[in-house]
């Protein structure tokens, strides 16, 4: 961005997202005299969007992922825009499959209609810029794109600060001002807060700054290169050496997402990746269980650098274990596999209430 880009620190990605949506609601509702604001987001967008829209009385319009790329579907975005649309929400990358949405195309849409475009860079904020500088194939995703009006970046993820710190950024100060809360009628005097919290500890901000300064640009470049190499090595090994699994999303960044391969059935069934993830957890690996579609992902960090072979060997062993259970019809669902298996078989009402 340019010198007009501004922002503030927050307590985490969820607060950054809520504040960005609050700012867009107040700014664009006033600009266009909108009474019932709407926000467009992909089904893969972080659930903090749902929380924000519920709190701020905004109608959330969910659009599907592209069936091949798992990125937000541009055609559905175009069809979803109405006179009440205040912003489009995008991810760089998305949490489930680690896909970078087509931000440039979304920016063109946002610019054409004069609405906001938020880029959720909470996961990738301290990876993608350095990966791009290192020469990795990273598309444009930030304020260099005309239509982008805000971004969120978590310093407590790949910024290596303590939990409870994030940053929300805006294209210009007028949009940031719409984030603020001011109540001048209180008998105790003017009440003004920049973020959702009234009082905040400066200590969290100081330690975040200290972490960033201690690592420095050279440190982030080194970490990022190692992480990107680890993710690609693991992804390639899954595709090449474990036919029962297949990768989703293309592993453009640090997220390796995989699921059962429908072209390599075991006893007429797709490999249950949630069972695989449960076995991997017993070996000390932390995998996130996902749904719609059923899959799991590994978010590569510095801890995975030089441990890729160990991960792949353990993954092969776990897949072989589950494969033998499936061949013997002895694949009892436990742990996350049981939870996600039950959820997929229940009607939407009870699941939503849970």
């Amino acid at each position: 961005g340019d010198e007009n880009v501004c922002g503030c620190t927050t307590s985490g990605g969820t607060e950054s997202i809520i504040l960005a949506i609050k700012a867009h609601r107040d700014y664009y509702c006033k600009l266009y005299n909108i009474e019932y604001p709407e926000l467009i987001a992909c089904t893969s967008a972080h659930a903090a969007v749902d929380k924000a829209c519920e709190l701020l009385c905004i109608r959330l319009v969910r659009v599907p992922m592209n069936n091949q790329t798992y990125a937000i579907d541009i055609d559905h975005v175009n069809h979803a825009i109405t006179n009440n649309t205040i912003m489009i929400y995008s991810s760089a990358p998305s949490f489930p499959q680690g896909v970078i949405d087509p931000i440039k195309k979304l920016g063109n849409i946002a610019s054409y209609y004069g609405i906001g475009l938020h880029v959720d860079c909470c996961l990738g904020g301290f990876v993608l810029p350095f990966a791009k500088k290192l020469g990795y194939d990273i598309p444009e995703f930030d304020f260099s794109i005309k239509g982008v009006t805000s971004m969120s970046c978590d310093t407590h993820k790949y910024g290596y600060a303590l939990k409870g710190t994030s940053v929300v950024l805006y294209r210009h100060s007028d949009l940031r001002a719409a984030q603020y809360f001011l109540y001048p009628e209180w008998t105790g005097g003017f009440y003004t807060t920049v973020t959702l919290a009234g009082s905040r500890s400066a200590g969290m901000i100081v330690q975040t700054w200290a972490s960033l300064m201690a690592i420095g640009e050279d440190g982030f470049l080194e970490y990022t290169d190692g992480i990107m190499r680890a993710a690609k090595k693991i992804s390639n090994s899954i595709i090449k050496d474990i036919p029962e699994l297949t990768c989703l999303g293309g592993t453009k960044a640090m997220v390796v997402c995989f699921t059962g391969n429908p072209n390599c059935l075991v006893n007429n069934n797709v490999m249950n990746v949630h069972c695989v993830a449960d076995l991997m957890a017993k070996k000390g690996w932390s995998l996130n269980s996902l749904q719609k579609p059923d899959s799991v992902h590994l978010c590569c960090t510095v801890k995975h650098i030089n441990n890729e072979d160990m991960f792949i060997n353990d993954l092969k062993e776990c897949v072989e274990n589950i494969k033998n259970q499936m061949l013997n019809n002895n694949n009892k669902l436990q742990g996350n596999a049981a939870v996600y298996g039950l959820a997929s078989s229940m009607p939407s009402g009870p699941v939503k209430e849970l």
Side-chain angles (χ1 to χ4, degrees):
D2 56 28
E3 66 278 1
N4 294 314
V5 172
C6 54
C8 74
T9 59
T10 72
S11 64
T14 293
E15 186 180 16
S16 290
I17 291 167
I18 292 174
L19 289 172
I21 293 175
K22 191 265 185 190
H24 281 80
R25 183 199 65 175
D26 290 2
Y27 182 84
Y28 285 98
C29 281
K30 182 178 180 180
L31 181 65
Y32 296 126
N33 195 29
I34 296 174
E35 188 174 358
Y36 302 105
E38 298 177 359
L39 181 154
I40 299 171
C42 186
T43 51
S44 62
H46 196 282
V49 179
D50 296 76
K51 179 185 284 188
C53 289
E54 182 175 317
L55 290 172
L56 298 168
C57 299
I58 297 172
R59 179 173 178 257
L60 175 57
V61 181
R62 285 282 191 182
V63 296
M65 298 179 285
N66 180 284
N67 291 331
Q68 301 298 319
T69 65
Y70 294 93
I72 190 170
D73 192 293
I74 292 294
D75 290 337
H76 280 86
V77 171
N78 273 310
H79 290 139
I81 291 176
T82 71
N83 290 334
N84 289 326
T85 302
I86 57 169
M87 68 178 290
I88 302 168
Y89 187 97
S90 63
S91 303
S94 64
F95 176 79
Q97 286 79 35
V99 171
I100 301 172
D101 284 328
I103 310 297
K104 192 168 186 178
K105 291 182 179 179
L106 293 173
N108 290 336
I109 295 173
S111 295
Y112 178 81
Y113 287 102
I115 58 178
L117 171 60
H118 179 77
V119 179
D120 177 356
C121 216
C122 290
L123 192 58
F126 288 87
V127 174
L128 298 187
F130 299 105
K132 192 172 183 66
K133 190 168 187 176
L134 287 165
Y136 287 94
D137 183 21
I138 304 294
E140 297 294 336
F141 63 91
D142 53 19
F143 289 111
S144 62
I145 296 173
K146 182 181 178 181
V148 173
T149 50
S150 65
M151 297 182 67
S152 51
C153 307
D154 282 2
T155 43
H156 67 199
K157 288 189 173 74
Y158 288 89
Y160 306 103
L162 295 177
K163 275 289 184 182
T165 59
S166 178
V167 175
V168 59
L169 301 169
Y170 298 100
R171 170 73 70 176
H172 51 77
S173 58
D174 287 344
L175 190 53
R176 181 179 63 176
Q179 166 191 301
Y180 303 160
F181 176 82
L182 169 64
Y183 183 63
E185 304 300 327
W186 183 34
T187 54
F190 281 14
Y191 179 78
T192 305
T193 59
V194 175
T195 61
L196 295 179
S199 300
R200 296 193 296 160
S201 170
M204 294 299 290
I205 300 173
V206 171
Q207 65 82 22
T208 299
W209 177 85
S211 175
L212 297 177
M213 294 300 102
I215 297 171
E217 183 177 3
D218 290 342
F220 279 111
L221 288 169
E222 180 183 348
Y223 288 168
T224 299
D225 192 38
I227 289 168
M228 295 291 286
R229 289 176 183 273
K232 186 56 69 174
K233 182 175 181 179
I234 292 172
S235 175
N236 288 340
S237 294
I238 291 173
I239 295 170
K240 180 183 177 182
D241 301 326
I242 310 179
E244 294 84 3
L245 301 178
T246 184
C247 289
L248 305 177
T251 315
K252 278 286 187 180
M254 63 292 197
V255 176
V256 181
C257 180
F258 56 91
T259 187
N261 187 352
N263 296 318
C264 186
L265 301 180
V266 180
N267 205 11
N268 294 320
N269 290 298
V270 174
M271 173 61 62
N272 191 316
V273 286
H274 296 304
C275 290
V276 174
D278 285 341
L279 280 186
M280 289 290 283
K282 293 178 181 179
K283 291 181 175 291
W285 299 103
S286 178
L287 300 176
N288 289 291
S289 291
L290 313 167
Q291 59 180 339
K292 301 178 181 179
D294 284 330
S295 52
V296 297
H297 82 208
L298 172 70
C299 203
C300 290
T301 68
V302 291
K303 292 292 186 180
H304 298 101
I305 299 174
N306 297 325
N307 289 313
E308 303 92 340
D309 291 336
M310 184 188 302
F311 177 87
I312 288 297
N313 290 335
D314 284 347
L315 184 60
K316 288 178 181 178
E317 183 180 326
C318 289
V319 168
E320 193 63 27
N321 191 316
I322 298 300
K323 180 179 178 180
N324 290 333
Q325 292 181 29
M326 294 175 70
L327 288 172
N328 294 320
N329 295 312
N330 188 32
N331 188 30
K332 184 178 180 180
L333 297 182
Q334 297 177 343
N336 282 333
V339 172
Y340 283 91
L342 176 63
S344 65
S345 65
M346 293 174 67
S348 60
V351 174
K352 186 174 182 180
E353 290 173 9
L354 286 173

